[in-house]
mmCIF file of all heavy atoms in Angstrom:
data_model
loop_
_atom_site.group_PDB
_atom_site.id
_atom_site.type_symbol
_atom_site.label_atom_id
_atom_site.label_comp_id
_atom_site.label_asym_id
_atom_site.label_seq_id
_atom_site.Cartn_x
_atom_site.Cartn_y
_atom_site.Cartn_z
ATOM 1 N N THR A 2 -15.692 15.800 -3.051
ATOM 2 C CA THR A 2 -14.983 16.774 -2.250
ATOM 3 C C THR A 2 -15.259 16.571 -0.670
ATOM 4 O O THR A 2 -16.293 15.942 -0.269
ATOM 5 C CB THR A 2 -15.482 18.216 -2.546
ATOM 6 O OG1 THR A 2 -16.956 18.245 -2.334
ATOM 7 C CG2 THR A 2 -15.233 18.529 -3.960
ATOM 8 N N GLU A 3 -14.311 16.943 0.133
ATOM 9 C CA GLU A 3 -14.439 16.936 1.537
ATOM 10 C C GLU A 3 -15.014 15.496 2.030
ATOM 11 O O GLU A 3 -15.816 15.436 2.843
ATOM 12 C CB GLU A 3 -15.362 18.047 2.076
ATOM 13 C CG GLU A 3 -14.843 19.406 1.755
ATOM 14 C CD GLU A 3 -15.738 20.509 2.199
ATOM 15 O OE1 GLU A 3 -16.878 20.588 1.553
ATOM 16 O OE2 GLU A 3 -15.316 21.289 2.993
ATOM 17 N N THR A 4 -14.297 14.514 1.459
ATOM 18 C CA THR A 4 -14.655 13.138 1.796
ATOM 19 C C THR A 4 -13.451 12.370 2.202
ATOM 20 O O THR A 4 -12.358 12.527 1.631
ATOM 21 C CB THR A 4 -15.314 12.565 0.511
ATOM 22 O OG1 THR A 4 -16.414 13.218 0.131
ATOM 23 C CG2 THR A 4 -15.766 11.080 0.799
ATOM 24 N N HIS A 5 -13.632 11.437 3.137
ATOM 25 C CA HIS A 5 -12.507 10.623 3.645
ATOM 26 C C HIS A 5 -12.421 9.358 2.807
ATOM 27 O O HIS A 5 -13.383 8.633 2.652
ATOM 28 C CB HIS A 5 -12.645 10.343 5.106
ATOM 29 C CG HIS A 5 -11.404 9.688 5.767
ATOM 30 N ND1 HIS A 5 -10.244 10.406 5.970
ATOM 31 C CD2 HIS A 5 -11.192 8.479 6.115
ATOM 32 C CE1 HIS A 5 -9.335 9.654 6.480
ATOM 33 N NE2 HIS A 5 -9.893 8.464 6.586
ATOM 34 N N TYR A 6 -11.192 9.016 2.360
ATOM 35 C CA TYR A 6 -10.914 7.855 1.668
ATOM 36 C C TYR A 6 -9.827 7.072 2.298
ATOM 37 O O TYR A 6 -9.055 7.614 3.090
ATOM 38 C CB TYR A 6 -10.522 8.098 0.154
ATOM 39 C CG TYR A 6 -11.584 8.659 -0.651
ATOM 40 C CD1 TYR A 6 -11.829 10.045 -0.766
ATOM 41 C CD2 TYR A 6 -12.397 7.889 -1.492
ATOM 42 C CE1 TYR A 6 -12.844 10.567 -1.531
ATOM 43 C CE2 TYR A 6 -13.371 8.438 -2.287
ATOM 44 C CZ TYR A 6 -13.552 9.822 -2.313
ATOM 45 O OH TYR A 6 -14.639 10.338 -3.081
ATOM 46 N N VAL A 7 -9.735 5.783 2.057
ATOM 47 C CA VAL A 7 -8.624 4.928 2.572
ATOM 48 C C VAL A 7 -7.927 4.241 1.449
ATOM 49 O O VAL A 7 -8.576 3.684 0.579
ATOM 50 C CB VAL A 7 -9.223 3.858 3.618
ATOM 51 C CG1 VAL A 7 -8.041 2.905 4.002
ATOM 52 C CG2 VAL A 7 -9.882 4.547 4.785
ATOM 53 N N ALA A 8 -6.623 4.404 1.402
ATOM 54 C CA ALA A 8 -5.773 3.727 0.401
ATOM 55 C C ALA A 8 -4.982 2.565 0.980
ATOM 56 O O ALA A 8 -4.588 2.614 2.151
ATOM 57 C CB ALA A 8 -4.839 4.692 -0.250
ATOM 58 N N THR A 9 -4.890 1.507 0.205
ATOM 59 C CA THR A 9 -4.157 0.330 0.674
ATOM 60 C C THR A 9 -3.126 -0.090 -0.321
ATOM 61 O O THR A 9 -3.496 -0.278 -1.506
ATOM 62 C CB THR A 9 -5.104 -0.830 1.013
ATOM 63 O OG1 THR A 9 -6.028 -0.491 1.958
ATOM 64 C CG2 THR A 9 -4.262 -2.045 1.532
ATOM 65 N N ILE A 10 -1.852 -0.270 0.060
ATOM 66 C CA ILE A 10 -0.812 -0.860 -0.773
ATOM 67 C C ILE A 10 -0.442 -2.200 -0.133
ATOM 68 O O ILE A 10 0.074 -2.267 0.983
ATOM 69 C CB ILE A 10 0.382 0.069 -0.862
ATOM 70 C CG1 ILE A 10 -0.019 1.375 -1.520
ATOM 71 C CG2 ILE A 10 1.484 -0.596 -1.722
ATOM 72 C CD1 ILE A 10 1.046 2.409 -1.660
ATOM 73 N N SER A 11 -0.746 -3.292 -0.846
ATOM 74 C CA SER A 11 -0.578 -4.583 -0.316
ATOM 75 C C SER A 11 0.889 -5.136 -0.378
ATOM 76 O O SER A 11 1.776 -4.533 -1.065
ATOM 77 C CB SER A 11 -1.510 -5.555 -1.019
ATOM 78 O OG SER A 11 -0.963 -5.858 -2.322
ATOM 79 N N THR A 12 1.140 -6.222 0.208
ATOM 80 C CA THR A 12 2.406 -6.889 0.135
ATOM 81 C C THR A 12 2.685 -7.533 -1.213
ATOM 82 O O THR A 12 3.748 -8.134 -1.411
ATOM 83 C CB THR A 12 2.585 -7.866 1.221
ATOM 84 O OG1 THR A 12 1.528 -8.846 1.154
ATOM 85 C CG2 THR A 12 2.499 -7.251 2.673
ATOM 86 N N GLY A 13 1.729 -7.334 -2.102
ATOM 87 C CA GLY A 13 1.914 -7.870 -3.399
ATOM 88 C C GLY A 13 2.877 -7.052 -4.296
ATOM 89 O O GLY A 13 3.406 -7.486 -5.338
ATOM 90 N N VAL A 14 3.239 -5.829 -3.761
ATOM 91 C CA VAL A 14 4.291 -5.075 -4.501
ATOM 92 C C VAL A 14 5.610 -5.568 -4.088
ATOM 93 O O VAL A 14 5.918 -5.929 -2.964
ATOM 94 C CB VAL A 14 4.082 -3.551 -4.158
ATOM 95 C CG1 VAL A 14 2.766 -3.020 -4.551
ATOM 96 C CG2 VAL A 14 4.353 -3.301 -2.716
ATOM 97 N N HIS A 15 6.530 -5.659 -5.141
ATOM 98 C CA HIS A 15 7.870 -6.142 -4.933
ATOM 99 C C HIS A 15 8.947 -5.181 -5.391
ATOM 100 O O HIS A 15 8.673 -4.371 -6.281
ATOM 101 C CB HIS A 15 8.045 -7.482 -5.700
ATOM 102 C CG HIS A 15 7.113 -8.622 -5.251
ATOM 103 N ND1 HIS A 15 7.071 -9.780 -6.011
ATOM 104 C CD2 HIS A 15 6.376 -8.711 -4.243
ATOM 105 C CE1 HIS A 15 6.235 -10.571 -5.378
ATOM 106 N NE2 HIS A 15 5.778 -9.948 -4.312
ATOM 107 N N SER A 16 10.109 -5.291 -4.770
ATOM 108 C CA SER A 16 11.254 -4.489 -5.276
ATOM 109 C C SER A 16 11.785 -5.186 -6.527
ATOM 110 O O SER A 16 11.312 -6.214 -6.977
ATOM 111 C CB SER A 16 12.331 -4.519 -4.163
ATOM 112 O OG SER A 16 12.879 -5.854 -4.049
ATOM 113 N N LEU A 17 12.800 -4.479 -7.138
ATOM 114 C CA LEU A 17 13.364 -5.079 -8.356
ATOM 115 C C LEU A 17 14.034 -6.455 -8.092
ATOM 116 O O LEU A 17 14.166 -7.229 -8.997
ATOM 117 C CB LEU A 17 14.374 -4.029 -8.946
ATOM 118 C CG LEU A 17 13.838 -2.846 -9.697
ATOM 119 C CD1 LEU A 17 14.954 -1.976 -10.142
ATOM 120 C CD2 LEU A 17 12.992 -3.323 -10.840
ATOM 121 N N ASN A 18 14.377 -6.628 -6.792
ATOM 122 C CA ASN A 18 15.013 -7.896 -6.411
ATOM 123 C C ASN A 18 13.980 -8.973 -6.160
ATOM 124 O O ASN A 18 14.318 -10.081 -5.682
ATOM 125 C CB ASN A 18 15.879 -7.669 -5.198
ATOM 126 C CG ASN A 18 17.081 -6.755 -5.553
ATOM 127 O OD1 ASN A 18 17.538 -6.829 -6.666
ATOM 128 N ND2 ASN A 18 17.572 -6.036 -4.561
ATOM 129 N N GLY A 19 12.665 -8.585 -6.231
ATOM 130 C CA GLY A 19 11.613 -9.560 -6.011
ATOM 131 C C GLY A 19 11.236 -9.725 -4.560
ATOM 132 O O GLY A 19 10.503 -10.641 -4.158
ATOM 133 N N VAL A 20 11.634 -8.724 -3.719
ATOM 134 C CA VAL A 20 11.395 -8.810 -2.259
ATOM 135 C C VAL A 20 10.077 -8.030 -2.021
ATOM 136 O O VAL A 20 10.003 -6.862 -2.388
ATOM 137 C CB VAL A 20 12.534 -8.253 -1.415
ATOM 138 C CG1 VAL A 20 12.176 -8.290 0.036
ATOM 139 C CG2 VAL A 20 13.803 -8.957 -1.749
ATOM 140 N N PRO A 21 9.064 -8.687 -1.406
ATOM 141 C CA PRO A 21 7.836 -7.898 -1.179
ATOM 142 C C PRO A 21 7.974 -7.075 0.162
ATOM 143 O O PRO A 21 8.868 -7.216 0.942
ATOM 144 C CB PRO A 21 6.760 -9.094 -0.894
ATOM 145 C CG PRO A 21 7.636 -10.171 -0.317
ATOM 146 C CD PRO A 21 8.974 -10.068 -1.016
ATOM 147 N N MET A 22 6.993 -6.126 0.281
ATOM 148 C CA MET A 22 6.986 -5.354 1.558
ATOM 149 C C MET A 22 6.616 -6.247 2.704
ATOM 150 O O MET A 22 5.874 -7.249 2.521
ATOM 151 C CB MET A 22 5.937 -4.223 1.480
ATOM 152 C CG MET A 22 6.260 -3.149 0.504
ATOM 153 S SD MET A 22 5.328 -1.567 0.926
ATOM 154 C CE MET A 22 3.649 -2.200 1.012
ATOM 155 N N ALA A 23 7.149 -5.963 3.833
ATOM 156 C CA ALA A 23 6.912 -6.801 4.981
ATOM 157 C C ALA A 23 5.452 -6.688 5.463
ATOM 158 O O ALA A 23 4.874 -7.674 5.979
ATOM 159 C CB ALA A 23 7.887 -6.469 6.125
ATOM 160 N N HIS A 24 4.902 -5.440 5.368
ATOM 161 C CA HIS A 24 3.542 -5.221 5.839
ATOM 162 C C HIS A 24 2.804 -4.378 4.823
ATOM 163 O O HIS A 24 3.400 -3.566 4.195
ATOM 164 C CB HIS A 24 3.569 -4.581 7.211
ATOM 165 C CG HIS A 24 4.379 -5.212 8.219
ATOM 166 N ND1 HIS A 24 3.900 -6.412 8.896
ATOM 167 C CD2 HIS A 24 5.604 -4.988 8.810
ATOM 168 C CE1 HIS A 24 4.836 -6.810 9.742
ATOM 169 N NE2 HIS A 24 5.853 -5.949 9.692
ATOM 170 N N ALA A 25 1.483 -4.614 4.781
ATOM 171 C CA ALA A 25 0.690 -3.710 3.899
ATOM 172 C C ALA A 25 0.604 -2.320 4.533
ATOM 173 O O ALA A 25 0.709 -2.170 5.737
ATOM 174 C CB ALA A 25 -0.787 -4.318 3.799
ATOM 175 N N LYS A 26 0.537 -1.314 3.610
ATOM 176 C CA LYS A 26 0.472 0.013 4.054
ATOM 177 C C LYS A 26 -0.985 0.506 3.862
ATOM 178 O O LYS A 26 -1.528 0.474 2.796
ATOM 179 C CB LYS A 26 1.395 0.906 3.295
ATOM 180 C CG LYS A 26 1.349 2.397 3.551
ATOM 181 C CD LYS A 26 1.807 2.775 4.927
ATOM 182 C CE LYS A 26 1.876 4.241 5.181
ATOM 183 N NZ LYS A 26 2.365 4.594 6.533
ATOM 184 N N VAL A 27 -1.554 0.960 4.905
ATOM 185 C CA VAL A 27 -2.963 1.482 4.882
ATOM 186 C C VAL A 27 -2.925 2.908 5.443
ATOM 187 O O VAL A 27 -2.400 3.182 6.485
ATOM 188 C CB VAL A 27 -3.898 0.681 5.728
ATOM 189 C CG1 VAL A 27 -5.395 1.245 5.662
ATOM 190 C CG2 VAL A 27 -3.923 -0.766 5.285
#
């Protein structure tokens, strides 16, 4: 509780067309 966390979604995720994200989301 009452704690700060950081989430990261990397460019390893792809769309159905196989296109990755341009930048990681933090």
